[in-house]
Amino acid sequence: MADTAKRRWRPILTLAIKAAISAGLLTWLLYTQIDNMDEIWGAIGRANPWLLVLSFSLNIVGYLLCSWRWQILLAAQGFAVPLIELIRAYTIGIFFNAFLPGLMSGDFMRAYDISDRVRSYTRSFLILFVERLTGMFGLLVLAGLALPLVGREIVGKTGIHWILAVVAALLIAAGLGLMLMRRQSGGARIWQLPGFSKLRKIADNISETARVFGTRMDAVYRCMGISIVFQANVVLHFYLIGLALGIELPIIIYFGIIPVSLFVMMIPASVNGIGIREQIFVYLFGAFGVGAAEAISLAWIALAMVLLQAAAGGVLFAIRKRKRNTPAEAWSEAGQGG
């Protein structure tokens, strides 16, 4: 019972800690950087509504690209899932990413939402993990291409290159990890020990998924290309918000700032990046002469658009009807540890 209580309270405690960090960072930033909150509200109120609508509409393009990328990886593993189902699951994932603790909570829900299509929850989640890696690759490529154009002085001042170096190292480590997972481990003696049968099932599914991707690298490369296009779409989304606010920076600067900002916001230390998002925007945009009020306004408008998408995902989650033809089969592996 004690273990059950701990498991029950751990997510709540994690969320409370992250909420406290978000509130603390946000309060400190507003207290030290903003003389009057009216500066922020005034900047938001003056924003061009048509540019904001255009910026928000790019999310539709993003949904299609991400869902298509996911579909390609699923097909490479032998799973045929209609694109409309993946768009729905992706939208639901945004809802859970926005309100639940954990960097990949939305991915867990995405894997669950198509569990009637993919018989192994482990394989479904690992496919999403590979999708995440291709997305980070796309961000890294765009930032790397933009870095020489940002200016050596700004790069040295902000330390952007160090963040990108860390991300590159993590991607290489993840790629090597997937290569090692391709090794068949079913014959190892450890799996013969009592209580290890479930872990063996998980290990077999991981090994099989990695092995298939190893033989279908063409699909992975296609997804890397889609990721570059998708991340460029994300940068354009932020650029249009900046234009709406009257921020006069060349779009190439956004290609240097936004990928790095998104990498920093991946740190699971706050709720939905709140607090961290504002800090990194004020820091990086400030290096190019943008005022704190404008940078925070940009961050808050982008967050509001994320929350609108999350609300749509919540509605879809509430009204969705899951298929009932093979739920027991779909989760049989999960119940056995797969």
Coordinates of all heavy atoms in Angstrom, one line a residue, residues 42 61 70-71 106 164 187 200-201 242 280 302:
G42 N 0.3 46.0 -23.9 CA 0.3 47.0 -25.0 C 0.8 46.4 -26.3 O 0.3 46.6 -27.4
V61 N -0.3 22.9 -41.2 CA 0.8 22.3 -42.0 C 1.6 21.4 -41.1 O 2.0 20.3 -41.5 CB 1.6 23.4 -42.6 CG1 2.8 22.8 -43.4 CG2 0.7 24.3 -43.5
W70 N 5.2 10.3 -38.9 CA 4.8 9.2 -38.0 C 4.3 8.0 -38.8 O 4.7 6.8 -38.6 CB 3.8 9.7 -37.0 CG 3.4 8.8 -35.9 CD1 4.1 7.6 -35.5 CD2 2.3 8.9 -35.0 NE1 3.4 7.0 -34.5 CE2 2.4 7.8 -34.1 CE3 1.4 9.9 -34.9 CZ2 1.4 7.7 -33.1 CZ3 0.4 9.7 -33.8 CH2 0.5 8.7 -33.0
Q71 N 3.5 8.3 -39.8 CA 2.9 7.2 -40.7 C 4.0 6.5 -41.4 O 4.0 5.2 -41.6 CB 2.0 7.9 -41.7 CG 1.2 6.8 -42.5 CD 0.3 7.5 -43.5 OE1 0.7 8.4 -44.2 NE2 -1.0 7.1 -43.5
G106 N 2.8 13.3 -23.6 CA 1.9 13.3 -24.8 C 2.3 12.1 -25.7 O 1.4 11.6 -26.4
L164 N 24.0 23.6 -29.0 CA 23.9 22.7 -30.2 C 24.9 21.5 -30.1 O 24.6 20.4 -30.6 CB 24.1 23.5 -31.5 CG 23.1 24.6 -31.7 CD1 23.5 25.3 -33.0 CD2 21.7 24.1 -31.8
G187 N 18.6 -15.0 -26.0 CA 19.3 -16.2 -25.5 C 20.1 -15.9 -24.3 O 20.7 -16.8 -23.7
R200 N 12.1 -9.6 -20.7 CA 12.6 -10.3 -21.9 C 11.7 -9.9 -23.1 O 12.1 -9.6 -24.2 CB 12.6 -11.8 -21.8 CG 13.0 -12.5 -23.1 CD 13.0 -14.0 -22.9 NE 13.3 -14.6 -24.2 CZ 13.5 -15.9 -24.4 NH1 13.3 -16.7 -23.3 NH2 13.7 -16.4 -25.6
K201 N 10.4 -9.9 -22.8 CA 9.4 -9.5 -23.9 C 9.6 -8.1 -24.3 O 9.6 -7.8 -25.5 CB 8.0 -9.6 -23.3 CG 6.9 -9.5 -24.4 CD 6.9 -10.6 -25.4 CE 5.7 -10.5 -26.3 NZ 5.8 -11.6 -27.3
G242 N 6.5 37.4 -34.6 CA 7.4 38.6 -34.4 C 7.1 39.7 -35.3 O 7.1 40.9 -34.9
I280 N 14.5 32.3 -22.0 CA 15.4 32.1 -23.1 C 15.1 33.1 -24.3 O 16.0 33.6 -25.0 CB 15.3 30.7 -23.6 CG1 16.5 30.4 -24.6 CG2 14.0 30.4 -24.3 CD1 17.8 30.4 -24.0
A302 N 2.8 32.7 -28.5 CA 3.1 31.4 -28.9 C 2.6 30.3 -28.0 O 2.0 29.3 -28.4 CB 4.6 31.2 -29.1

